[in-house]
Amino acid sequence: KPVVWCGDLNVAHLDEDIWNVGAKHLIKTPGTTKEERESFTHMLAEASLSDTFRSQHGQEASGWFSYYSVRAGNRQWNRGLRLDYFLASPPLMQAKQGALHVVDSAILSDFVALDHAAVALTLSL
């Protein structure tokens, strides 16, 4: 069955999902610890799920974030984390004529509600 899992999953999976990767405080910051990031990788593999945004945009996905610290005022400087995802099962990641599949995945950076930007998924019908 086609499966989509979406939401604020509270983990910055890859280095590209962290604006200041390598900062010393990240080793103990929730959502950026080695254990959380490795667990996320394991979960994706075990559940056969793909990160739709990363799959659709590859290296162009670097520098796109969905969470910004309001306290630090980081949105104006694009200093954030990518914590919000659409994850999809293999049938949805394969474009087939007449079959439901992922067409695009986006972060709508102009639509930020306090600290998170909206994320969007476009499916064929």
Side-chain angles (χ1 to χ4, degrees), residues 46-90:
E46 189 174 285
S48 297
L49 295 173
S50 295
D51 173 351
T52 62
F53 186 74
R54 182 81 51 216
S55 294
Q56 292 289 312
H57 301 286
Q59 287 303 315
E60 294 175 17
S62 295
W64 285 89
F65 307 114
S66 62
Y67 167 81
Y68 305 92
S69 170
V70 173
R71 184 176 49 90
N74 282 344
R75 184 175 183 273
Q76 66 181 338
W77 307 108
N78 195 36
R79 296 176 178 168
L81 303 170
R82 193 163 74 96
L83 302 178
D84 303 270
Y85 298 87
F86 278 96
L87 306 176
S89 60

Side-chain angles (χ1 to χ4, degrees), residues 8-15 17-18 25-40 67 80-85:
D8 174 4
L9 303 184
N10 278 326
V11 63
H13 181 217
L14 302 175
D15 286 353
D17 301 327
I18 303 171
H25 71 278
L26 293 176
I27 62 172
K28 58 185 175 185
T29 300
T32 62
T33 68
K34 179 182 176 184
E35 295 81 9
E36 290 168 306
R37 296 172 72 199
E38 287 175 354
S39 178
F40 196 82
Y67 167 81
L81 303 170
R82 193 163 74 96
L83 302 178
D84 303 270
Y85 298 87

